[in-house]
Amino acid sequence: MKLLVVGAGAREHALAATLERGGASVVCAPGNPGIARDVRVLSLDSGDPAAVLALAVAEGVDLTVIGPEAPLAAGVADHFMAAGRPLFGPTRAAAQLETSKAFAKDLMARHGVPTARALVCDCAADAMAALARGTLGWPVVVKADGLAAGKGVIIAPDRAAAEAAVRLAMIDGGFGAAGARVVLEECLVGPELSYFVIAAGEHFVACGTAQDHKRLLDGDEGPNTGGMGAFSPSVLVDDALRERIEREIVRPVLRGMAAEGAPFTGFLYCGLMLTAEGPKVIEFNCRFGDPEAQVVLPLLAEPLAPVLARAAGGGPLPAALRFSGDTAVGVVLAAGGYPGALDTGHAIDGLDRVRAECPAVDVRFAGVAERDGALVVSGGRVLTVVSRAPHYAEAIAAAYDAVRRIRFRGMQYRTDIGARALAAVRP
Ligand code: AMP
Ligand code: GLY
């Protein structure tokens, strides 16, 4: 089977590598020069649905798999559907589960899916009035409705901070168009986990669990980022919780989407908080997580392409996917300045040593460019160093052993990725 993976980050590198490991032939577009070391890459404006379709036709691929949310929000899946070409990813209408927090909240309310109590506000006056009533309690969470690259969420400890957040989003345009509407949410307390399924309308199959580390600094300090590292599987999920998540969250959401005329096909990413009352939805994403894909996919012990192809064809799907039983840990190496103004252009040293000396490690590339045949830093999250081992402790040690061999000026990373897994697993 020949596949086109659309995207340019470490998640797409992991997707492409996993599909190839399962025996598929893969091209990635637009990819990046790091991905190009493993799979063929082609240039592409992935936000242009007609260009994506033209590339899939020109390359004669059997299936196109979309990595990031932006091409889905732009309607790439709708375009393929109209042309009768197979694609794995949701339509623009189904992608609203991620692209509009208000849509997701309303859908969950209609279908009884547990989530934080929330108020959707279309103007600053409504939001200020809601804050004055204070019915959601304090702290309160202020979220830009639209896509804001993981930066549109402010946890406000009190009314003054919440009003400032509303002003930033709705009056000062701090999140651009994404902040024209805000969602005010009750603040949930508990550990977070990511639950993934491959969905095809009402059919679905579980596709791994992970725990992300969203803050920049050790100990969950510093600003929110796209994700500084992750491990898989989550230490929080046992069979009973898995069953509950599928019964209370996955199934009603997929049924609801289908019943309302926007059946969801693609990776459904459920961002959950494990509260005292049980699992509650923090957010949905219409794609795999990044860096979660980098740690979930290497544990898959069967070919992925046939499952995605079946989903793209409307299902049905196997009852379960086989996973190896190992653990995986991924440490993100970020550019200096990330998540603010980036310090780019610096040479990345040590990659050859990792390749030669760290057999249990894969480096997945994101913000890299090529200069004189060598890789240099070109984006915020530069690469994810991923290791796999039977136990978290070994996987953590192997990942950091590789990290120590890699250097670029300004390099930032957390030194505590996976520590939460160790704390939870007692000998
Ligand atoms: P989101 O972009 O919706 O994933 O939010 C980013 C982060 O903000 C989440 O990973 C949570 O840590 C936090 N967060 C979002 N919503 C809530 C909430 N209702 N209660 C507590 N924390 C939240
Ligand atoms: N790791 C968070 C995300 O992919 O949105």
Side-chain angles (χ1 to χ4, degrees):
M1 202 185 311
K2 185 168 180 188
L3 289 97
L4 167 63
V5 173
V6 173
R11 166 184 50 210
E12 288 73 32
H13 192 179
L15 270 169
T18 303
L19 291 163
E20 283 218 325
R21 177 165 56 85
S25 150
V26 180
V27 291
C28 181
N32 64 51
I35 297 177
R37 297 180 166 200
D38 289 334
V39 302
R40 191 159 71 95
V41 305
L42 298 165
S43 67
L44 173 69
D45 173 1
S46 62
D48 176 355
V52 180
L53 179 62
L55 184 66
V57 171
E59 286 293 314
V61 301
D62 303 299
L63 179 67
T64 300
V65 179
I66 307 294
E69 63 277 17
L72 298 165
V76 171
D78 309 70
H79 212 74
F80 274 63
M81 205 178 268
R85 302 284 304 194
L87 177 138
F88 180 74
T91 60
R92 193 202 310 241
Q96 287 180 96
L97 267 184
E98 171 168 2
T99 60
S100 170
K101 291 182 191 294
F103 173 90
K105 277 289 175 191
D106 290 343
L107 184 100
M108 286 188 273
R110 285 196 294 279
H111 298 280
V113 175
T115 185
R117 284 186 300 129
L119 294 167
V120 177
C121 303
D122 284 309
C123 67
D126 281 0
M128 295 301 185
L131 293 175
R133 287 194 301 277
T135 49
L136 295 169
W138 312 101
V140 72
V141 185
V142 181
K143 297 185 172 184
D145 177 56
L147 291 178
K151 292 175 192 141
V153 175
I154 295 167
I155 298 183
D158 52 35
R159 183 172 159 192
E163 287 176 350
V166 167
R167 266 195 302 278
L168 173 67
M170 304 191 88
I171 297 170
D172 303 337
F175 305 117
R181 185 193 255 177
V182 300
V183 178
L184 303 178
E185 266 185 31
E186 155 198 30
C187 188
L188 301 177
V189 182
E192 286 182 59
L193 69 105
S194 308
Y195 196 89
F196 300 97
V197 305
I198 292 171
E202 293 188 41
H203 304 287
F204 69 91
V205 60
C207 187
T209 62
Q211 287 174 240
D212 192 7
H213 299 63
K214 284 192 175 149
R215 301 291 203 96
L216 180 70
L217 305 173
D218 284 4
D220 296 327
E221 303 281 345
N224 245 323
T225 71
M228 292 299 290
F231 61 85
S232 178
S234 164
V235 287
L236 302 167
V237 184
D238 58 15
D239 285 345
L241 182 58
R242 184 182 305 283
E243 200 270 325
R244 188 167 176 189
I245 290 168
E246 296 192 353
R247 176 166 39 87
E248 295 184 0
I249 295 168
V250 177
R251 206 162 284 131
V253 162
L254 293 177
R255 279 206 181 128
M257 293 295 285
E260 296 187 18
F264 185 97
T265 292
F267 291 114
L268 178 64
Y269 166 147
C270 309
L272 307 177
M273 197 169 269
L274 210 50
T275 73
E277 294 160 17
K280 294 194 181 182
V281 176
I282 293 278
E283 62 164 350
F284 289 113
N285 293 310
C286 63
R287 48 164 178 86
F288 224 113
D290 183 342
E292 290 95 326
Q294 293 91 300
V295 292
V296 170
L297 293 173
L299 304 180
L300 195 60
E302 65 178 275
L304 179 60
V307 185
L308 302 188
R310 275 181 85 157
L317 296 170
L321 299 181
R322 252 181 323 113
F323 282 84
S324 71
D326 280 351
T327 66
V329 171
V331 180
V332 170
L333 305 189
Y338 179 75
L342 302 177
D343 181 14
T344 60
H346 304 302
I348 304 169
D349 295 321
L351 295 171
D352 292 338
R353 282 189 61 202
V354 170
R355 229 172 234 248
E357 298 166 15
C358 306
V361 167
D362 285 310
V363 177
R364 302 301 181 204
F365 290 100
V368 296
E370 198 150 46
R371 197 175 61 207
D372 305 327
L375 294 179
V376 299
V377 174
S378 74
R381 290 189 291 173
V382 179
L383 44 88
T384 313
V385 175
V386 183
S387 69
R388 217 180 75 174
H391 302 286
Y392 297 105
E394 296 147 24
I396 293 166
Y400 281 107
D401 181 52
V403 166
R404 276 189 290 277
R405 289 162 215 251
I406 301 174
R407 278 217 166 80
F408 54 82
R409 198 182 307 159
M411 181 168 113
Q412 306 188 75
Y413 63 93
R414 281 181 60 157
T415 65
D416 64 349
I417 303 300
R420 236 177 282 154
L422 289 185
V425 181
R426 307 208 196 287

